[in-house]
PDB file of all heavy atoms in Angstrom:
ATOM      1  N   ALA A 635     -11.514 -48.948  49.273  1.00 86.00           N
ATOM      2  CA  ALA A 635     -10.753 -48.770  48.001  1.00 86.00           C
ATOM      3  C   ALA A 635     -10.240 -50.117  47.485  1.00 86.00           C
ATOM      4  O   ALA A 635     -10.262 -50.433  46.286  1.00 86.00           O
ATOM      5  CB  ALA A 635      -9.583 -47.823  48.239  1.00 86.00           C
ATOM      6  N   ALA A 636      -9.670 -50.983  48.407  1.00 86.00           N
ATOM      7  CA  ALA A 636      -9.196 -52.235  47.960  1.00 86.00           C
ATOM      8  C   ALA A 636     -10.319 -53.137  47.471  1.00 86.00           C
ATOM      9  O   ALA A 636     -10.238 -53.832  46.486  1.00 86.00           O
ATOM     10  CB  ALA A 636      -8.509 -52.988  49.198  1.00 86.00           C
ATOM     11  N   TRP A 637     -11.488 -53.003  48.177  1.00 84.00           N
ATOM     12  CA  TRP A 637     -12.667 -53.746  47.666  1.00 84.00           C
ATOM     13  C   TRP A 637     -13.062 -53.351  46.218  1.00 84.00           C
ATOM     14  O   TRP A 637     -13.365 -54.194  45.349  1.00 84.00           O
ATOM     15  CB  TRP A 637     -13.784 -53.601  48.636  1.00 84.00           C
ATOM     16  CG  TRP A 637     -15.081 -54.220  48.148  1.00 84.00           C
ATOM     17  CD1 TRP A 637     -15.423 -55.570  48.188  1.00 84.00           C
ATOM     18  CD2 TRP A 637     -16.211 -53.548  47.593  1.00 84.00           C
ATOM     19  NE1 TRP A 637     -16.677 -55.725  47.609  1.00 84.00           N
ATOM     20  CE2 TRP A 637     -17.149 -54.517  47.276  1.00 84.00           C
ATOM     21  CE3 TRP A 637     -16.516 -52.207  47.309  1.00 84.00           C
ATOM     22  CZ2 TRP A 637     -18.417 -54.216  46.760  1.00 84.00           C
ATOM     23  CZ3 TRP A 637     -17.700 -51.850  46.717  1.00 84.00           C
ATOM     24  CH2 TRP A 637     -18.641 -52.876  46.473  1.00 84.00           C
ATOM     25  N   LEU A 638     -13.027 -52.050  46.005  1.00 80.00           N
ATOM     26  CA  LEU A 638     -13.409 -51.588  44.672  1.00 80.00           C
ATOM     27  C   LEU A 638     -12.456 -52.044  43.650  1.00 80.00           C
ATOM     28  O   LEU A 638     -12.853 -52.325  42.435  1.00 80.00           O
ATOM     29  CB  LEU A 638     -13.459 -49.973  44.685  1.00 80.00           C
ATOM     30  CG  LEU A 638     -14.659 -49.361  45.372  1.00 80.00           C
ATOM     31  CD1 LEU A 638     -14.454 -47.851  45.321  1.00 80.00           C
ATOM     32  CD2 LEU A 638     -15.919 -49.709  44.585  1.00 80.00           C
ATOM     33  N   ILE A 639     -11.176 -52.121  43.948  1.00 80.00           N
ATOM     34  CA  ILE A 639     -10.191 -52.564  42.949  1.00 80.00           C
ATOM     35  C   ILE A 639     -10.351 -54.067  42.620  1.00 80.00           C
ATOM     36  O   ILE A 639     -10.298 -54.453  41.445  1.00 80.00           O
ATOM     37  CB  ILE A 639      -8.792 -52.276  43.497  1.00 80.00           C
ATOM     38  CG1 ILE A 639      -8.504 -50.813  43.596  1.00 80.00           C
ATOM     39  CG2 ILE A 639      -7.697 -52.971  42.638  1.00 80.00           C
ATOM     40  CD1 ILE A 639      -7.200 -50.436  44.278  1.00 80.00           C
ATOM     41  N   PHE A 640     -10.588 -54.898  43.678  1.00 80.00           N
ATOM     42  CA  PHE A 640     -10.495 -56.270  43.420  1.00 80.00           C
ATOM     43  C   PHE A 640     -11.863 -57.065  43.275  1.00 80.00           C
ATOM     44  O   PHE A 640     -11.884 -58.165  42.785  1.00 80.00           O
ATOM     45  CB  PHE A 640      -9.704 -56.951  44.596  1.00 80.00           C
ATOM     46  CG  PHE A 640      -8.332 -56.473  44.652  1.00 80.00           C
ATOM     47  CD1 PHE A 640      -7.859 -55.710  45.673  1.00 80.00           C
ATOM     48  CD2 PHE A 640      -7.402 -56.892  43.634  1.00 80.00           C
ATOM     49  CE1 PHE A 640      -6.524 -55.278  45.704  1.00 80.00           C
ATOM     50  CE2 PHE A 640      -6.054 -56.475  43.690  1.00 80.00           C
ATOM     51  CZ  PHE A 640      -5.642 -55.713  44.710  1.00 80.00           C
ATOM     52  N   ASP A 641     -12.945 -56.387  43.642  1.00 78.00           N
ATOM     53  CA  ASP A 641     -14.265 -57.074  43.590  1.00 78.00           C
ATOM     54  C   ASP A 641     -14.954 -56.626  42.301  1.00 78.00           C
ATOM     55  O   ASP A 641     -15.244 -55.488  42.137  1.00 78.00           O
ATOM     56  CB  ASP A 641     -15.120 -56.682  44.800  1.00 78.00           C
ATOM     57  CG  ASP A 641     -16.430 -57.497  44.803  1.00 78.00           C
ATOM     58  OD1 ASP A 641     -16.387 -58.700  44.996  1.00 78.00           O
ATOM     59  OD2 ASP A 641     -17.463 -56.829  44.604  1.00 78.00           O
ATOM     60  N   PRO A 642     -15.277 -57.615  41.405  1.00 78.00           N
ATOM     61  CA  PRO A 642     -15.988 -57.225  40.202  1.00 78.00           C
ATOM     62  C   PRO A 642     -17.388 -56.783  40.490  1.00 78.00           C
ATOM     63  O   PRO A 642     -18.077 -57.382  41.339  1.00 78.00           O
ATOM     64  CB  PRO A 642     -15.984 -58.511  39.352  1.00 78.00           C
ATOM     65  CG  PRO A 642     -15.782 -59.649  40.357  1.00 78.00           C
ATOM     66  CD  PRO A 642     -15.010 -59.024  41.484  1.00 78.00           C
ATOM     67  N   SER A 643     -17.881 -55.738  39.786  1.00 83.00           N
ATOM     68  CA  SER A 643     -19.240 -55.264  40.097  1.00 83.00           C
ATOM     69  C   SER A 643     -20.285 -55.814  39.159  1.00 83.00           C
ATOM     70  O   SER A 643     -21.422 -55.482  39.388  1.00 83.00           O
ATOM     71  CB  SER A 643     -19.176 -53.694  39.975  1.00 83.00           C
ATOM     72  OG  SER A 643     -19.001 -53.415  38.582  1.00 83.00           O
ATOM     73  N   PHE A 644     -19.893 -56.620  38.126  1.00 85.00           N
ATOM     74  CA  PHE A 644     -20.923 -57.074  37.203  1.00 85.00           C
ATOM     75  C   PHE A 644     -21.656 -58.291  37.776  1.00 85.00           C
ATOM     76  O   PHE A 644     -21.187 -59.032  38.569  1.00 85.00           O
ATOM     77  CB  PHE A 644     -20.208 -57.448  35.900  1.00 85.00           C
ATOM     78  CG  PHE A 644     -19.535 -56.273  35.251  1.00 85.00           C
ATOM     79  CD1 PHE A 644     -18.115 -56.236  35.182  1.00 85.00           C
ATOM     80  CD2 PHE A 644     -20.234 -55.210  34.694  1.00 85.00           C
ATOM     81  CE1 PHE A 644     -17.490 -55.172  34.589  1.00 85.00           C
ATOM     82  CE2 PHE A 644     -19.560 -54.138  34.119  1.00 85.00           C
ATOM     83  CZ  PHE A 644     -18.187 -54.143  34.093  1.00 85.00           C
ATOM     84  N   SER A 645     -22.987 -58.277  37.317  1.00 83.00           N
ATOM     85  CA  SER A 645     -23.828 -59.327  37.798  1.00 83.00           C
ATOM     86  C   SER A 645     -24.904 -59.590  36.741  1.00 83.00           C
ATOM     87  O   SER A 645     -24.904 -58.914  35.642  1.00 83.00           O
ATOM     88  CB  SER A 645     -24.571 -58.905  39.114  1.00 83.00           C
ATOM     89  OG  SER A 645     -25.337 -57.776  38.859  1.00 83.00           O
ATOM     90  N   ASP A 646     -25.866 -60.519  37.016  1.00 82.00           N
ATOM     91  CA  ASP A 646     -26.889 -60.788  36.020  1.00 82.00           C
ATOM     92  C   ASP A 646     -27.688 -59.538  35.796  1.00 82.00           C
ATOM     93  O   ASP A 646     -28.202 -59.289  34.707  1.00 82.00           O
ATOM     94  CB  ASP A 646     -27.759 -61.940  36.567  1.00 82.00           C
ATOM     95  CG  ASP A 646     -27.023 -63.234  36.493  1.00 82.00           C
ATOM     96  OD1 ASP A 646     -26.014 -63.329  35.766  1.00 82.00           O
ATOM     97  OD2 ASP A 646     -27.426 -64.185  37.170  1.00 82.00           O
ATOM     98  N   GLN A 647     -27.974 -58.724  36.880  1.00 79.00           N
ATOM     99  CA  GLN A 647     -28.765 -57.505  36.788  1.00 79.00           C
ATOM    100  C   GLN A 647     -27.985 -56.401  36.070  1.00 79.00           C
ATOM    101  O   GLN A 647     -28.536 -55.589  35.382  1.00 79.00           O
ATOM    102  CB  GLN A 647     -29.226 -57.090  38.108  1.00 79.00           C
ATOM    103  CG  GLN A 647     -30.216 -55.927  38.090  1.00 79.00           C
ATOM    104  CD  GLN A 647     -30.794 -55.600  39.439  1.00 79.00           C
ATOM    105  OE1 GLN A 647     -30.307 -56.077  40.480  1.00 79.00           O
ATOM    106  NE2 GLN A 647     -31.789 -54.729  39.502  1.00 79.00           N
ATOM    107  N   ASN A 648     -26.685 -56.326  36.334  1.00 82.00           N
ATOM    108  CA  ASN A 648     -25.790 -55.328  35.758  1.00 82.00           C
ATOM    109  C   ASN A 648     -24.700 -56.015  34.921  1.00 82.00           C
ATOM    110  O   ASN A 648     -23.599 -56.065  35.428  1.00 82.00           O
ATOM    111  CB  ASN A 648     -25.246 -54.422  36.849  1.00 82.00           C
ATOM    112  CG  ASN A 648     -26.263 -53.721  37.560  1.00 82.00           C
ATOM    113  OD1 ASN A 648     -26.922 -52.754  37.078  1.00 82.00           O
ATOM    114  ND2 ASN A 648     -26.454 -54.028  38.802  1.00 82.00           N
ATOM    115  N   PRO A 649     -25.045 -56.491  33.775  1.00 83.00           N
ATOM    116  CA  PRO A 649     -24.082 -57.377  33.044  1.00 83.00           C
ATOM    117  C   PRO A 649     -22.878 -56.602  32.502  1.00 83.00           C
ATOM    118  O   PRO A 649     -22.946 -55.469  32.224  1.00 83.00           O
ATOM    119  CB  PRO A 649     -24.954 -57.972  31.951  1.00 83.00           C
ATOM    120  CG  PRO A 649     -25.969 -56.911  31.662  1.00 83.00           C
ATOM    121  CD  PRO A 649     -26.269 -56.324  33.059  1.00 83.00           C
ATOM    122  N   LYS A 650     -21.793 -57.348  32.447  1.00 84.00           N
ATOM    123  CA  LYS A 650     -20.614 -56.814  31.782  1.00 84.00           C
ATOM    124  C   LYS A 650     -20.837 -56.714  30.276  1.00 84.00           C
ATOM    125  O   LYS A 650     -21.165 -57.685  29.619  1.00 84.00           O
ATOM    126  CB  LYS A 650     -19.408 -57.738  32.123  1.00 84.00           C
ATOM    127  CG  LYS A 650     -18.086 -57.311  31.457  1.00 84.00           C
ATOM    128  CD  LYS A 650     -17.020 -58.248  31.836  1.00 84.00           C
ATOM    129  CE  LYS A 650     -15.711 -57.971  31.130  1.00 84.00           C
ATOM    130  NZ  LYS A 650     -14.661 -58.964  31.442  1.00 84.00           N
ATOM    131  N   PRO A 651     -20.666 -55.518  29.692  1.00 85.00           N
ATOM    132  CA  PRO A 651     -20.853 -55.443  28.266  1.00 85.00           C
ATOM    133  C   PRO A 651     -19.906 -56.300  27.487  1.00 85.00           C
ATOM    134  O   PRO A 651     -18.739 -56.469  27.869  1.00 85.00           O
ATOM    135  CB  PRO A 651     -20.664 -53.916  27.994  1.00 85.00           C
ATOM    136  CG  PRO A 651     -20.695 -53.265  29.328  1.00 85.00           C
ATOM    137  CD  PRO A 651     -20.211 -54.281  30.350  1.00 85.00           C
ATOM    138  N   GLY A 652     -20.340 -56.766  26.353  1.00 87.00           N
ATOM    139  CA  GLY A 652     -19.396 -57.375  25.411  1.00 87.00           C
ATOM    140  C   GLY A 652     -18.623 -56.240  24.702  1.00 87.00           C
ATOM    141  O   GLY A 652     -19.127 -55.201  24.460  1.00 87.00           O
ATOM    142  N   ASP A 653     -17.353 -56.559  24.275  1.00 90.00           N
ATOM    143  CA  ASP A 653     -16.626 -55.546  23.567  1.00 90.00           C
ATOM    144  C   ASP A 653     -15.495 -56.179  22.753  1.00 90.00           C
ATOM    145  O   ASP A 653     -14.325 -55.969  22.961  1.00 90.00           O
ATOM    146  CB  ASP A 653     -16.059 -54.556  24.613  1.00 90.00           C
ATOM    147  CG  ASP A 653     -15.406 -53.359  23.864  1.00 90.00           C
ATOM    148  OD1 ASP A 653     -15.908 -52.968  22.780  1.00 90.00           O
ATOM    149  OD2 ASP A 653     -14.475 -52.720  24.457  1.00 90.00           O
ATOM    150  N   LEU A 654     -15.900 -56.961  21.810  1.00 93.00           N
ATOM    151  CA  LEU A 654     -15.008 -57.628  20.847  1.00 93.00           C
ATOM    152  C   LEU A 654     -15.547 -57.509  19.486  1.00 93.00           C
ATOM    153  O   LEU A 654     -16.733 -57.684  19.190  1.00 93.00           O
ATOM    154  CB  LEU A 654     -14.811 -59.149  21.229  1.00 93.00           C
ATOM    155  CG  LEU A 654     -13.993 -59.879  20.281  1.00 93.00           C
ATOM    156  CD1 LEU A 654     -12.437 -59.556  20.492  1.00 93.00           C
ATOM    157  CD2 LEU A 654     -14.171 -61.402  20.475  1.00 93.00           C
ATOM    158  N   PHE A 655     -14.718 -57.099  18.506  1.00 94.00           N
ATOM    159  CA  PHE A 655     -15.149 -57.005  17.108  1.00 94.00           C
ATOM    160  C   PHE A 655     -14.016 -57.274  16.193  1.00 94.00           C
ATOM    161  O   PHE A 655     -12.817 -57.343  16.627  1.00 94.00           O
ATOM    162  CB  PHE A 655     -15.742 -55.608  16.858  1.00 94.00           C
ATOM    163  CG  PHE A 655     -14.789 -54.432  17.178  1.00 94.00           C
ATOM    164  CD1 PHE A 655     -13.929 -53.906  16.218  1.00 94.00           C
ATOM    165  CD2 PHE A 655     -14.771 -53.934  18.476  1.00 94.00           C
ATOM    166  CE1 PHE A 655     -13.105 -52.843  16.560  1.00 94.00           C
ATOM    167  CE2 PHE A 655     -13.893 -52.867  18.803  1.00 94.00           C
ATOM    168  CZ  PHE A 655     -13.066 -52.370  17.817  1.00 94.00           C
ATOM    169  N   HIS A 656     -14.326 -57.553  14.942  1.00 96.00           N
ATOM    170  CA  HIS A 656     -13.339 -57.829  13.897  1.00 96.00           C
ATOM    171  C   HIS A 656     -13.102 -56.481  13.182  1.00 96.00           C
ATOM    172  O   HIS A 656     -14.082 -55.801  12.771  1.00 96.00           O
ATOM    173  CB  HIS A 656     -13.825 -58.863  12.898  1.00 96.00           C
ATOM    174  CG  HIS A 656     -12.790 -59.250  11.876  1.00 96.00           C
ATOM    175  ND1 HIS A 656     -12.565 -58.469  10.738  1.00 96.00           N
ATOM    176  CD2 HIS A 656     -11.941 -60.341  11.795  1.00 96.00           C
ATOM    177  CE1 HIS A 656     -11.607 -59.036  10.058  1.00 96.00           C
ATOM    178  NE2 HIS A 656     -11.251 -60.149  10.639  1.00 96.00           N
ATOM    179  N   TYR A 657     -11.820 -56.138  12.988  1.00 97.00           N
ATOM    180  CA  TYR A 657     -11.487 -54.854  12.383  1.00 97.00           C
ATOM    181  C   TYR A 657     -10.618 -55.128  11.139  1.00 97.00           C
ATOM    182  O   TYR A 657      -9.535 -55.780  11.270  1.00 97.00           O
ATOM    183  CB  TYR A 657     -10.757 -53.990  13.378  1.00 97.00           C
ATOM    184  CG  TYR A 657     -10.148 -52.733  12.735  1.00 97.00           C
ATOM    185  CD1 TYR A 657     -11.017 -51.779  12.100  1.00 97.00           C
ATOM    186  CD2 TYR A 657      -8.817 -52.418  12.889  1.00 97.00           C
ATOM    187  CE1 TYR A 657     -10.487 -50.655  11.575  1.00 97.00           C
ATOM    188  CE2 TYR A 657      -8.335 -51.229  12.385  1.00 97.00           C
ATOM    189  CZ  TYR A 657      -9.122 -50.333  11.666  1.00 97.00           C
ATOM    190  OH  TYR A 657      -8.660 -49.263  11.167  1.00 97.00           O
ATOM    191  N   SER A 658     -11.062 -54.713  10.022  1.00 96.00           N
ATOM    192  CA  SER A 658     -10.281 -54.768   8.747  1.00 96.00           C
ATOM    193  C   SER A 658      -9.809 -53.418   8.342  1.00 96.00           C
ATOM    194  O   SER A 658     -10.644 -52.480   8.207  1.00 96.00           O
ATOM    195  CB  SER A 658     -11.118 -55.344   7.633  1.00 96.00           C
ATOM    196  OG  SER A 658     -11.452 -56.677   7.940  1.00 96.00           O
ATOM    197  N   ASP A 659      -8.484 -53.211   8.192  1.00 95.00           N
ATOM    198  CA  ASP A 659      -7.976 -51.944   7.692  1.00 95.00           C
ATOM    199  C   ASP A 659      -7.672 -52.111   6.184  1.00 95.00           C
ATOM    200  O   ASP A 659      -6.649 -52.767   5.824  1.00 95.00           O
ATOM    201  CB  ASP A 659      -6.707 -51.598   8.451  1.00 95.00           C
ATOM    202  CG  ASP A 659      -6.276 -50.129   8.148  1.00 95.00           C
ATOM    203  OD1 ASP A 659      -6.400 -49.746   6.981  1.00 95.00           O
ATOM    204  OD2 ASP A 659      -5.751 -49.502   9.061  1.00 95.00           O
ATOM    205  N   ARG A 660      -8.584 -51.615   5.337  1.00 94.00           N
ATOM    206  CA  ARG A 660      -8.402 -51.904   3.910  1.00 94.00           C
ATOM    207  C   ARG A 660      -7.304 -51.011   3.323  1.00 94.00           C
ATOM    208  O   ARG A 660      -6.913 -51.185   2.121  1.00 94.00           O
ATOM    209  CB  ARG A 660      -9.746 -51.547   3.194  1.00 94.00           C
ATOM    210  CG  ARG A 660     -10.851 -52.474   3.581  1.00 94.00           C
ATOM    211  CD  ARG A 660     -10.637 -53.914   3.162  1.00 94.00           C
ATOM    212  NE  ARG A 660     -11.613 -54.805   3.656  1.00 94.00           N
ATOM    213  CZ  ARG A 660     -12.649 -55.219   3.018  1.00 94.00           C
ATOM    214  NH1 ARG A 660     -12.956 -54.656   1.843  1.00 94.00           N
ATOM    215  NH2 ARG A 660     -13.524 -56.102   3.538  1.00 94.00           N
ATOM    216  N   VAL A 661      -6.766 -50.039   4.070  1.00 92.00           N
ATOM    217  CA  VAL A 661      -5.675 -49.226   3.576  1.00 92.00           C
ATOM    218  C   VAL A 661      -4.369 -49.974   3.658  1.00 92.00           C
ATOM    219  O   VAL A 661      -3.565 -50.014   2.690  1.00 92.00           O
ATOM    220  CB  VAL A 661      -5.604 -47.868   4.372  1.00 92.00           C
ATOM    221  CG1 VAL A 661      -4.402 -47.051   3.942  1.00 92.00           C
ATOM    222  CG2 VAL A 661      -6.924 -47.124   4.188  1.00 92.00           C
ATOM    223  N   ASN A 662      -4.105 -50.623   4.764  1.00 92.00           N
ATOM    224  CA  ASN A 662      -2.859 -51.378   4.906  1.00 92.00           C
ATOM    225  C   ASN A 662      -2.998 -52.875   4.826  1.00 92.00           C
ATOM    226  O   ASN A 662      -2.020 -53.606   4.889  1.00 92.00           O
ATOM    227  CB  ASN A 662      -2.096 -51.026   6.249  1.00 92.00           C
ATOM    228  CG  ASN A 662      -2.930 -51.322   7.476  1.00 92.00           C
ATOM    229  OD1 ASN A 662      -3.782 -52.248   7.416  1.00 92.00           O
ATOM    230  ND2 ASN A 662      -2.671 -50.695   8.590  1.00 92.00           N
ATOM    231  N   GLY A 663      -4.234 -53.320   4.578  1.00 93.00           N
ATOM    232  CA  GLY A 663      -4.491 -54.757   4.406  1.00 93.00           C
ATOM    233  C   GLY A 663      -4.374 -55.635   5.602  1.00 93.00           C
ATOM    234  O   GLY A 663      -4.289 -56.829   5.508  1.00 93.00           O
ATOM    235  N   LYS A 664      -4.425 -55.044   6.798  1.00 95.00           N
ATOM    236  CA  LYS A 664      -4.294 -55.858   8.053  1.00 95.00           C
ATOM    237  C   LYS A 664      -5.675 -56.085   8.650  1.00 95.00           C
ATOM    238  O   LYS A 664      -6.620 -55.252   8.496  1.00 95.00           O
ATOM    239  CB  LYS A 664      -3.365 -55.182   9.007  1.00 95.00           C
ATOM    240  CG  LYS A 664      -1.915 -55.003   8.504  1.00 95.00           C
ATOM    241  CD  LYS A 664      -1.003 -54.411   9.529  1.00 95.00           C
ATOM    242  CE  LYS A 664       0.383 -54.392   8.988  1.00 95.00           C
ATOM    243  NZ  LYS A 664       1.357 -53.713   9.988  1.00 95.00           N
ATOM    244  N   ASN A 665      -5.775 -57.155   9.390  1.00 96.00           N
ATOM    245  CA  ASN A 665      -7.022 -57.522  10.057  1.00 96.00           C
ATOM    246  C   ASN A 665      -6.727 -57.842  11.585  1.00 96.00           C
ATOM    247  O   ASN A 665      -5.662 -58.436  11.860  1.00 96.00           O
ATOM    248  CB  ASN A 665      -7.629 -58.774   9.367  1.00 96.00           C
ATOM    249  CG  ASN A 665      -7.981 -58.481   7.920  1.00 96.00           C
ATOM    250  OD1 ASN A 665      -9.093 -58.045   7.677  1.00 96.00           O
ATOM    251  ND2 ASN A 665      -7.102 -58.755   7.045  1.00 96.00           N
ATOM    252  N   TYR A 666      -7.727 -57.572  12.360  1.00 97.00           N
ATOM    253  CA  TYR A 666      -7.503 -57.669  13.837  1.00 97.00           C
ATOM    254  C   TYR A 666      -8.834 -58.137  14.486  1.00 97.00           C
ATOM    255  O   TYR A 666      -9.921 -57.912  14.000  1.00 97.00           O
ATOM    256  CB  TYR A 666      -7.101 -56.393  14.433  1.00 97.00           C
ATOM    257  CG  TYR A 666      -5.941 -55.698  13.870  1.00 97.00           C
ATOM    258  CD1 TYR A 666      -6.072 -54.760  12.776  1.00 97.00           C
ATOM    259  CD2 TYR A 666      -4.595 -55.914  14.346  1.00 97.00           C
ATOM    260  CE1 TYR A 666      -4.965 -54.157  12.242  1.00 97.00           C
ATOM    261  CE2 TYR A 666      -3.563 -55.255  13.800  1.00 97.00           C
ATOM    262  CZ  TYR A 666      -3.741 -54.381  12.740  1.00 97.00           C
ATOM    263  OH  TYR A 666      -2.621 -53.777  12.202  1.00 97.00           O
ATOM    264  N   TRP A 667      -8.585 -58.823  15.662  1.00 96.00           N
ATOM    265  CA  TRP A 667      -9.663 -58.835  16.676  1.00 96.00           C
ATOM    266  C   TRP A 667      -9.345 -57.679  17.587  1.00 96.00           C
ATOM    267  O   TRP A 667      -8.246 -57.468  18.005  1.00 96.00           O
ATOM    268  CB  TRP A 667      -9.614 -60.132  17.493  1.00 96.00           C
ATOM    269  CG  TRP A 667      -9.704 -61.372  16.687  1.00 96.00           C
ATOM    270  CD1 TRP A 667      -8.838 -62.406  16.630  1.00 96.00           C
ATOM    271  CD2 TRP A 667     -10.837 -61.815  16.003  1.00 96.00           C
ATOM    272  NE1 TRP A 667      -9.303 -63.407  15.760  1.00 96.00           N
ATOM    273  CE2 TRP A 667     -10.555 -63.047  15.390  1.00 96.00           C
ATOM    274  CE3 TRP A 667     -12.100 -61.202  15.649  1.00 96.00           C
ATOM    275  CZ2 TRP A 667     -11.414 -63.763  14.563  1.00 96.00           C
ATOM    276  CZ3 TRP A 667     -13.022 -61.892  14.847  1.00 96.00           C
ATOM    277  CH2 TRP A 667     -12.640 -63.156  14.295  1.00 96.00           C
ATOM    278  N   ALA A 668     -10.373 -56.826  17.842  1.00 95.00           N
ATOM    279  CA  ALA A 668     -10.099 -55.554  18.561  1.00 95.00           C
ATOM    280  C   ALA A 668     -11.142 -55.343  19.634  1.00 95.00           C
ATOM    281  O   ALA A 668     -12.224 -55.897  19.648  1.00 95.00           O
ATOM    282  CB  ALA A 668     -10.106 -54.401  17.548  1.00 95.00           C
ATOM    283  N   THR A 669     -10.742 -54.436  20.561  1.00 93.00           N
ATOM    284  CA  THR A 669     -11.639 -54.072  21.670  1.00 93.00           C
ATOM    285  C   THR A 669     -11.271 -52.635  22.029  1.00 93.00           C
ATOM    286  O   THR A 669     -10.195 -52.155  21.883  1.00 93.00           O
ATOM    287  CB  THR A 669     -11.437 -54.984  22.886  1.00 93.00           C
ATOM    288  OG1 THR A 669     -12.220 -54.484  23.942  1.00 93.00           O
ATOM    289  CG2 THR A 669     -10.030 -55.032  23.383  1.00 93.00           C
ATOM    290  N   SER A 670     -12.310 -51.931  22.582  1.00 90.00           N
ATOM    291  CA  SER A 670     -12.095 -50.594  23.117  1.00 90.00           C
ATOM    292  C   SER A 670     -11.825 -50.650  24.586  1.00 90.00           C
ATOM    293  O   SER A 670     -11.803 -49.601  25.279  1.00 90.00           O
ATOM    294  CB  SER A 670     -13.216 -49.669  22.801  1.00 90.00           C
ATOM    295  OG  SER A 670     -14.462 -50.245  23.173  1.00 90.00           O
ATOM    296  N   SER A 671     -11.681 -51.857  25.143  1.00 87.00           N
ATOM    297  CA  SER A 671     -11.450 -52.046  26.592  1.00 87.00           C
ATOM    298  C   SER A 671      -9.991 -52.548  26.804  1.00 87.00           C
ATOM    299  O   SER A 671      -9.061 -51.894  26.334  1.00 87.00           O
ATOM    300  CB  SER A 671     -12.498 -52.942  27.137  1.00 87.00           C
ATOM    301  OG  SER A 671     -13.725 -52.376  27.150  1.00 87.00           O
ATOM    302  N   THR A 672      -9.836 -53.702  27.365  1.00 80.00           N
ATOM    303  CA  THR A 672      -8.480 -54.215  27.709  1.00 80.00           C
ATOM    304  C   THR A 672      -8.270 -55.555  26.925  1.00 80.00           C
ATOM    305  O   THR A 672      -9.166 -56.081  26.361  1.00 80.00           O
ATOM    306  CB  THR A 672      -8.343 -54.483  29.158  1.00 80.00           C
ATOM    307  OG1 THR A 672      -9.182 -55.575  29.557  1.00 80.00           O
ATOM    308  CG2 THR A 672      -8.731 -53.286  30.015  1.00 80.00           C
TER     309      THR A 672
END
Side-chain angles (χ1 to χ4, degrees):
W637 174 76
L638 284 175
I639 292 172
F640 295 111
D641 184 69
S643 70
F644 298 111
S645 64
D646 290 341
Q647 187 176 10
N648 297 293
K650 177 181 177 181
D653 190 26
L654 176 75
F655 55 93
H656 186 278
Y657 173 58
S658 296
D659 190 326
R660 297 296 174 92
V661 176
N662 61 24
K664 295 183 179 180
N665 297 272
Y666 305 90
W667 302 119
T669 176
S670 52
S671 295
T672 67

